[in-house]
Amino acid sequence: MNTFINWMNQNFTPKMNKITKNVWVSSIQEAIMAILPLILVGSLITLISILNNYFSKMPNFSPITTFSFGLISLFVALLVPYFIMEKKKKNDRKIISGLTGLSLFLMLLMPKLTDDGGITFTLERFSGNGMFVALIVGLLVGAFMYLFSKFSFFKGSSSLPDFIIVWFDTVIPITILLLLGWIFTFQLNVDLYDLIIKVFEPVTAIAQSFTGFVFIAFLGVFFYSFGISAWVLYPIIFPIMLEGIQQNIDGVAQNINTMETQTAWVWIGGMGTTLPLVLMMLFMAKSSHLKAIGKVTIVPSIFNINEPVIFGAPVAFNPILMVPMWLNGLIIPAITYVALTWDFVTIPERLFQLWYMPVGISSMLINSDLRGLILLAVVVVVSWLIWFPFFKVYDMQQFKKEQVEMKLED
């Protein structure tokens, strides 16, 4: 085990961190992080809309969700090329690159143009359903704009203002990109949006299967146990989860692999289901160190924030506590998937990505199904049983170490 951990620490983790810092991956990550407030706004409106079940005269706030969460693909198409240019130190081109990404994305949505100057879009293509298309457009535009940034019509000694030079130097890549979009959409009548969605359908289908759901959940936990942020996976899994909940909302599918499912029954106390471990440290630890960690981390854990316990206990790079964390990453998602598939609990059909809501409250609000609390109780009990023997071993180890240190001090 120690040999494996040393290999992960010295070889695997640095490589994964290098991938995370890669311009193209980190640009997607930053674009997703930038739109999170808009997703949270949509989640808050969902929370408020629950009151409609009790107060019939409340106004309809759903348009707010439509113009926040409902437009996220549009925002991603703009932000990805923007951040690529920023990270490539081409700050004079980042705004025009973002606008070009926005323009090309809108063109690929196959809008209907009328003779009287009207234009019609299908609204669902702006939402989570269009995330993969937006990401591909953003990366394509970013790559094109960066490639052509190496070419200029003007010499370095030109007396023209920089913004005019940028105007002329970006004309060619913008023209090529929009010309390609025009050819496919308006001349060949090819729905590239639909084509890209179909290409990614097998990936989505695998991710929504039992194996895919458990594997993705475990992969995030596995990386996290080595101190690697789950954000390294988000360029792939976030679009899948957003598309999944959007399809659930639209009533065209019943997807289990969504952020809502993870928040309600898998990430109890945070990724790796660490709340039971914190409770053990708080109430059962003999080690003064673990008891202190329990006191410090109990409140964040209730709100599903577990970085303090992951790096404070620590769980990360800890041969004893990493194993139960991995087991939780396999067993808890499996239990959750089976419970939702067998209709023991209603599959979430509303946007609710307020992951920082206290444990239990989020499980109830996500689908207003009381059976969700029963599933939560089952998950906590199972996770407790997984953590307990490993916690006892580690606690005793730490306690004996502290006793030795006290005797040496005496």
Side-chain angles (χ1 to χ4, degrees), residues 224 268-282 289-290 292-298 300-302 304-318 321 325 387 391 394:
Y224 197 21
I268 308 305
M271 184 175 288
T273 321
T274 53
L275 180 59
L277 174 64
V278 173
L279 292 172
M280 289 177 197
M281 290 191 294
L282 180 62
H289 168 72
L290 293 184
I293 292 296
K295 291 178 181 178
V296 171
T297 60
I298 183 61
S301 293
I302 290 173
N304 297 309
I305 300 170
N306 67 349
E307 283 83 359
V309 69
I310 292 296
F311 299 103
V315 177
F317 291 103
N318 185 330
L321 295 183
M325 187 174 178
W387 280 111
F391 160 76
Y394 185 58

Side-chain angles (χ1 to χ4, degrees), residues 5-63:
I5 290 177
N6 289 333
W7 178 82
M8 290 291 293
N9 190 24
Q10 297 172 11
N11 295 281
F12 182 78
T13 301
K15 290 179 181 178
M16 291 305 301
N17 287 333
K18 188 175 181 180
I19 292 174
T20 304
K21 294 176 182 178
N22 176 274
V23 168
W24 310 97
V25 174
S26 61
S27 294
I28 294 175
Q29 291 172 338
E30 291 205 22
I32 292 173
M33 290 178 69
I35 65 171
L36 280 179
L38 292 158
I39 296 175
L40 295 180
V41 167
S43 299
L44 285 170
I45 296 302
T46 298
L47 181 61
I48 294 172
S49 298
I50 294 175
L51 298 175
N52 286 345
N53 298 328
Y54 308 98
F55 304 100
S56 58
K57 294 185 179 180
M58 281 188 61
N60 179 18
F61 292 106
S62 61

Side-chain angles (χ1 to χ4, degrees), residues 96-170:
I96 189 61
S97 297
L99 294 174
T100 303
L102 182 63
S103 178
L104 182 59
F105 177 71
L106 288 171
M107 190 180 293
L108 296 182
L109 293 184
M110 208 74 179
K112 295 180 180 178
L113 305 177
T114 60
D115 294 334
D116 59 357
I119 183 170
T120 304
F121 291 94
T122 302
L123 186 59
E124 67 174 14
R125 296 191 169 196
F126 291 109
S127 65
N129 290 330
M131 278 288 285
F132 280 121
V133 180
L135 289 173
I136 291 175
V137 167
L139 291 172
L140 175 65
V141 171
F144 242 75
M145 298 299 283
Y146 177 67
L147 179 66
F148 278 88
S149 70
K150 300 176 181 180
F151 165 81
S152 179
F153 287 107
F154 306 92
K155 296 181 179 180
S157 58
S158 174
S159 60
L160 289 173
D162 290 342
F163 68 91
I164 294 180
I165 294 175
V166 172
W167 285 354
F168 282 99
D169 287 346
T170 55

Side-chain angles (χ1 to χ4, degrees), residues 32 35 39 69 72 127-129 131 237-249 257-260 351 353:
I32 292 173
I35 65 171
I39 296 175
F69 174 70
I72 56 172
S127 65
N129 290 330
M131 278 288 285
I237 65 173
F238 201 70
I240 291 172
M241 289 181 172
L242 284 181
E243 182 182 10
I245 193 60
Q246 184 65 60
Q247 290 179 351
N248 289 0
I249 294 170
N257 196 355
T258 64
M259 186 73 74
E260 287 70 16
L351 178 69
Q353 300 200 4

